[in-house]
Amino acid sequence: ISQKNLDWIQRCDIVSSVPVVVEKADNDLDRELKFYQQGLEAAILGKQQVLKAGVPFERPEDYFAEMVKSDSHMARIRQKLLDQQKGIQNAEEAKKQRQLRKYGKKIQQEKIKEREDQKKAALDKISSIKKRLRSGDMGDAEDFEIDVDSDGDSGKRSKTGRERSKSGKKPMPNKKRQNKNEKFGFGGKKRGMKNNTAESSADMKSFSVKRNKSSKFIAPSKRGKAQRPGKSKRQRAF
């Protein structure tokens, strides 16, 4: 059967209207561009021929194509992709935390070194002052002013509790303690109240020979704890 006697829809051949001419065969960009133009023209002419033959060309709107892979397979693939993405995020977060720990450790070491240097400088200054005092050279008064809390930490501490008085010798109680002292008094001496002294040992006023020889007398150390009265006695007392 000659192809000329067949309809175009059975042959589906397209002839380019413009021949492909490539000046330099080594020029990949020019060669591929010519192929692209030829293919685009063939696609347009082929669509026109298909529509002219009355053959359906486009996919209908209610067309349903079953997927090659099942939904459970695609769900496993999706979960695997999510796990990979989560693993990448966790790795990035761990890397960030390691960098932050290194930076924090570096800052801590610098702070420790700074405090050690300040402490060493203060000790050196104190030792130099001691040497000058031994030699009798007092020097300037400014040399005796040593800033021990130069790091500023002491300034942040609250001054709650006892504060020094103006004389600087005796600590003053806080406001709460002063109010309790005014209300209840100072309480007096607490320690050593039961200790024997020479006067208390020689005091015989409370000693009685008659009472000690009595059969009803029981020494305080052997008396024991007083018994609690019964319920009926307690009720009668009221």
Side-chain angles (χ1 to χ4, degrees), residues 41 67 74 91 93 112 122 136 138 151 200 226:
E41 182 186 6
M67 298 181 64
M74 296 304 296
E93 185 68 21
I112 292 173
M138 298 299 293
D151 55 351
S200 63

Side-chain angles (χ1 to χ4, degrees), residues 74-86:
M74 296 304 296
R76 289 197 301 270
I77 294 175
R78 184 173 181 274
Q79 185 63 35
K80 186 176 181 180
L81 293 175
L82 291 176
D83 293 342
Q84 290 179 355
Q85 185 178 3
K86 188 175 181 180

Side-chain angles (χ1 to χ4, degrees), residues 25 28 67 76 80 82 88-89 97 156 159 191:
D28 296 337
M67 298 181 64
R76 289 197 301 270
K80 186 176 181 180
L82 291 176
I88 293 173
Q89 292 178 356
Q97 292 295 332
K156 298 180 182 178
K159 294 184 179 180
R191 299 180 62 180

Side-chain angles (χ1 to χ4, degrees), residues 19 129 149 186:
I129 291 174
D149 298 331
F186 294 93

Side-chain angles (χ1 to χ4, degrees), residues 44-86:
I44 295 173
L45 293 177
K47 182 179 179 181
Q48 294 175 358
Q49 293 293 337
V50 170
L51 294 176
K52 186 177 180 181
V55 178
F57 180 79
E58 296 179 353
R59 179 184 297 177
E61 296 180 357
D62 57 348
Y63 179 78
F64 177 76
E66 186 177 358
M67 298 181 64
V68 177
K69 298 182 179 180
S70 61
D71 294 341
S72 60
H73 191 142
M74 296 304 296
R76 289 197 301 270
I77 294 175
R78 184 173 181 274
Q79 185 63 35
K80 186 176 181 180
L81 293 175
L82 291 176
D83 293 342
Q84 290 179 355
Q85 185 178 3
K86 188 175 181 180

Side-chain angles (χ1 to χ4, degrees), residues 16 23 28 36 55 79 91 97 105 116 127 131 133-134 136 146 152 158 174 186-187 196 199 215 221:
S16 177
E23 296 179 357
D28 296 337
Y36 168 76
V55 178
Q79 185 63 35
Q97 292 295 332
K105 187 180 291 185
E116 289 178 353
S127 61
K131 290 179 181 179
L133 289 175
R134 291 171 186 171
I146 301 174
S158 59
N174 54 20
F186 294 93
N196 288 330
E199 292 79 5
S215 60
S221 60

